[in-house]
């Protein structure tokens, strides 16, 4: 049951693309007046190309018949024509191949979108790590600079105290402070 549903979804995507292809081909030949609408059964036992000129027709190679496409069903039922023998839109692609090809193309597109999204997310998070690392290094540098400033302030205060009490030697001699007493 699940396989049938997936097959129907894939077929609907395929039919959409084929109808787009048919629509673009019809636009390119707009100079030709459209042929009068005839029932699909009138093209039976002729050729696939003649049958598929009408978008609402389905060609079945099993008995070379041109049938009205079963609009109520997404895929033509096996009782009408097997998928490997059914043609719609173009004669050189059967429904099975069309469904498989469109599933592969759709899967590839979804996979590439997923890979691109993951790559962008990883790239954003890694740049976020770089920003965090940069922020931490700036903070460390600020802390180091403040520490050096405090150290220089302490040294200058200690030097002032030494001068005040005459503990700073005036000469090179370490005992010069004792000579004045």
């Amino acid at each position: 049951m699940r396989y049938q549903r997936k097959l129907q979804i894939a077929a609907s995507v395929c039919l959409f693309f084929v109808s787009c292809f048919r629509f673009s081909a019809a636009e390119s030949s707009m100079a030709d007046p459209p042929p009068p609408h005839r029932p699909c059964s009138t093209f039976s036992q002729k050729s696939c190309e003649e049958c598929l000129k009408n978008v609402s027709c389905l060609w079945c190679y099993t008995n070379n018949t041109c049938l009205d496409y079963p609009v109520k069903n997404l895929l033509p039922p096996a009782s009408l024509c097997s998928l490997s023998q059914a043609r719609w839109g173009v004669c050189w692609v059967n429904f099975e191949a069309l469904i498989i090809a469109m599933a592969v193309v759709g899967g590839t597109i979804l996979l590439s979108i997923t890979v691109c999204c993951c790559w962008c997310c990883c790239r954003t998070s890694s740049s976020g790590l770089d920003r965090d690392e940069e922020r931490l290094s700036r903070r460390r540098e600020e802390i180091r600079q403040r520490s050096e400033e405090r150290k220089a302030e302490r040294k200058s205060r200690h030097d002032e105290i030494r001068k005040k009490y005459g503990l700073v030697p005036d000469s090179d001699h370490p005992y010069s402070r004792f000579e004045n007493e």
Side-chain angles (χ1 to χ4, degrees), residues 89-165:
V90 289
C91 292
W92 51 272
V93 178
N94 66 28
F95 264 98
E96 281 181 336
L98 189 63
I99 291 168
I100 291 169
M102 295 313 285
V104 168
V105 168
T108 304
I109 289 171
L110 286 175
L111 183 65
S112 62
I113 288 171
T114 304
V115 167
C116 287
C117 289
C118 290
W119 183 77
C120 289
C121 290
C122 290
R123 184 161 170 92
T124 303
S125 65
S126 69
S127 67
L129 291 175
D130 292 343
R131 280 187 250 130
D132 290 343
E133 212 172 285
E134 185 179 316
R135 196 178 310 131
L136 282 173
S137 65
R138 268 189 276 138
R139 182 160 168 81
R140 278 191 215 115
E141 183 63 28
E142 289 171 2
I143 291 171
R144 189 186 61 78
Q145 285 177 353
R146 279 188 266 146
S147 172
E148 286 180 8
E149 288 172 3
R150 286 193 305 264
K151 187 176 179 182
E153 286 176 17
R154 278 194 312 268
K155 187 176 183 310
S156 69
R157 276 195 310 244
H158 290 163
D159 288 345
E160 287 175 12
I161 292 172
R162 284 187 190 110
K163 280 183 188 176
K164 180 178 179 182
Y165 292 104

Side-chain angles (χ1 to χ4, degrees), residues 29-40:
S29 64
M30 294 218 16
D32 300 337
H37 182 68
R38 296 190 299 179
C40 294

Side-chain angles (χ1 to χ4, degrees), residues 14-15 18 21 48-49 52 58-59 61 82-102:
C14 296
L15 291 175
V18 169
F21 174 74
C48 176
E49 288 80 17
L52 296 183
L58 170 75
W59 180 260
Y61 271 115
S82 68
L83 290 178
S84 62
Q85 297 298 313
R87 304 294 193 268
W88 181 79
V90 289
C91 292
W92 51 272
V93 178
N94 66 28
F95 264 98
E96 281 181 336
L98 189 63
I99 291 168
I100 291 169
M102 295 313 285

